[in-house]
Amino acid sequence: MDSSELEDLTQHINDKISGVMKILHLRTLAKDPDKRNMLKKISQDLLSINNLLNQFEAQVNQQKEILKSLKELEKLFEEDVKQAKHLKENIPPHMPRKGPVQSSAAVQKTSQGPESNKELELSKKPSKHKDCIREMLFITTAEFENIPAYMKGRFTYDQINNVIQDINKAVVCKYKILKQSLKSMNNATRKLYQRFKDEECKETKGQYFIVDADIKEFTQMKVEKKFHVMLNMLRHCQRLREVRGGGIIRYMLQ
């Protein structure tokens, strides 16, 4: 046995002896009534302190769980902020943009005087053509993802919604003419009006539709193979259906 082991053994024996001496001393104190009452009070205080420590430990554990939840919530919030920033910086071109907000001074100026009030009242009246002419809804990202790959090919989400934007433009232009009075039309507009009427059939009564000639007339879009592929996707998404007859293909909004 080397010296270090002997020292450890000696220390261990001394600790044991010290512990026995303390126990004997406490037994001696316990025989004294005054000391016994004091020991009981100390014991009660120790129990109270132990209960408080247990409560503190429970509170600390609870706060740790709350902190953990808050950190997870903070992480989710940061992800939401990143997504919102990404959406703000990548708004699809076909989505409508919010116009400039009118200042309070401009509103006050507009509201002054009977003529200004009349102009304000007229500006609040809804546009007859805008409210009455139906337009095709844009494709959502979920709908776009559900289009079969063989049909979608390499076309993008923005491309198909750009086509919808052009179709809506053609629809609005066409039906604005159809809602005009004949007396207000020039010769070119009258010819368009008559063509529109000739292209109508029993199935299109009360419905909104366009033909290839309308796309060429009112938009810069080329009526070619790519355009008809887009139309297939729009039919798949139930945005329009074809009505054939008289050698004309009518694209009717659904």
Side-chain angles (χ1 to χ4, degrees):
M1 179 181 297
D2 56 21
S3 59
S4 61
E5 291 179 350
L6 182 59
E7 289 177 1
D8 292 340
L9 180 59
T10 302
Q11 183 65 41
H12 178 69
I13 293 172
N14 289 334
D15 291 341
K16 290 291 185 181
I17 292 171
S18 177
V20 171
M21 294 297 293
K22 288 179 181 178
I23 292 172
L24 291 173
H25 182 64
L26 289 172
R27 287 183 65 184
T28 303
L29 291 175
K31 293 178 181 180
D32 188 339
D34 294 335
K35 301 292 190 301
R36 186 179 297 175
N37 290 333
M38 185 180 294
L39 289 172
K40 286 182 179 180
K41 187 176 184 305
I42 292 172
S43 177
Q44 291 173 355
D45 291 342
L46 288 173
L47 289 174
S48 299
I49 292 171
N50 187 59
N51 290 332
L52 286 173
L53 288 174
N54 289 335
Q55 292 177 15
F56 284 142
E57 186 178 1
Q59 286 293 328
V60 169
N61 291 333
Q62 184 178 359
Q63 292 300 320
K64 285 181 178 179
E65 292 296 324
I66 293 174
L67 181 61
K68 183 180 177 181
S69 299
L70 288 174
K71 286 183 177 179
E72 293 175 354
L73 185 63
E74 182 184 18
K75 187 177 180 181
L76 292 174
F77 178 75
E78 289 175 353
E79 291 177 356
D80 289 341
V81 170
K82 288 180 181 178
Q83 291 179 2
K85 185 178 179 181
H86 175 76
L87 290 173
K88 183 179 179 181
E89 294 174 352
N90 297 273
I91 298 176
H94 61 270
M95 295 296 291
R97 304 279 179 150
K98 186 177 180 180
V101 180
Q102 192 176 16
S103 65
S104 57
V107 172
Q108 186 176 3
K109 184 178 179 181
T110 305
S111 61
Q112 293 176 351
E115 293 183 0
S116 298
N117 288 333
K118 185 176 180 181
E119 291 176 0
L120 180 61
E121 183 180 354
L122 290 172
S123 67
K124 289 183 178 179
K125 288 184 178 181
S127 171
K128 182 177 179 182
H129 296 304
K130 184 176 180 180
D131 289 349
C132 294
I133 298 174
R134 180 185 170 190
E135 296 184 25
M136 187 185 299
L137 296 176
F138 290 111
I139 299 296
T140 64
T141 53
E143 288 176 312
F144 183 74
E145 290 172 0
N146 288 329
I147 297 174
Y150 75 88
M151 184 183 298
K152 186 163 45 180
R154 296 184 179 180
F155 290 108
T156 65
Y157 172 77
D158 288 335
Q159 283 179 313
I160 190 170
N161 278 316
N162 287 337
V163 170
I164 290 178
Q165 194 170 25
D166 282 334
I167 290 175
N168 285 337
K169 180 181 178 182
V171 170
V172 171
C173 291
K174 172 182 177 179
Y175 283 91
K176 276 185 178 180
I177 293 174
L178 284 171
K179 292 176 184 295
Q180 289 180 21
S181 64
L182 291 172
K183 294 180 180 180
S184 64
M185 298 180 186
N186 56 30
N187 291 333
T189 306
R190 282 175 181 269
K191 289 180 180 179
L192 286 173
Y193 179 90
Q194 190 57 50
R195 175 173 70 79
F196 298 155
K197 286 296 184 180
D198 293 340
E199 291 166 350
E200 292 178 354
C201 63
K202 185 177 180 181
E203 279 192 78
T204 61
K205 186 177 181 180
Q207 303 295 324
Y208 290 90
F209 74 94
I210 57 171
V211 298
D212 290 342
D214 299 327
I215 294 292
K216 296 175 182 177
E217 180 72 30
F218 300 115
T219 73
Q220 300 296 320
M221 187 165 49
K222 295 181 179 180
V223 180
E224 54 187 12
K225 184 178 179 180
K226 291 182 179 180
F227 171 69
H228 290 95
V229 171
M230 292 284 192
L231 293 181
N232 287 335
M233 287 191 278
L234 293 177
R235 283 197 298 271
H236 175 80
C237 295
Q238 298 182 350
R239 288 299 189 275
L240 56 80
R241 67 185 183 91
E242 290 184 359
V243 177
R244 297 173 182 264
I248 301 173
I249 303 176
R250 302 164 182 84
Y251 309 115
M252 189 165 70
L253 275 61
Q254 286 188 287

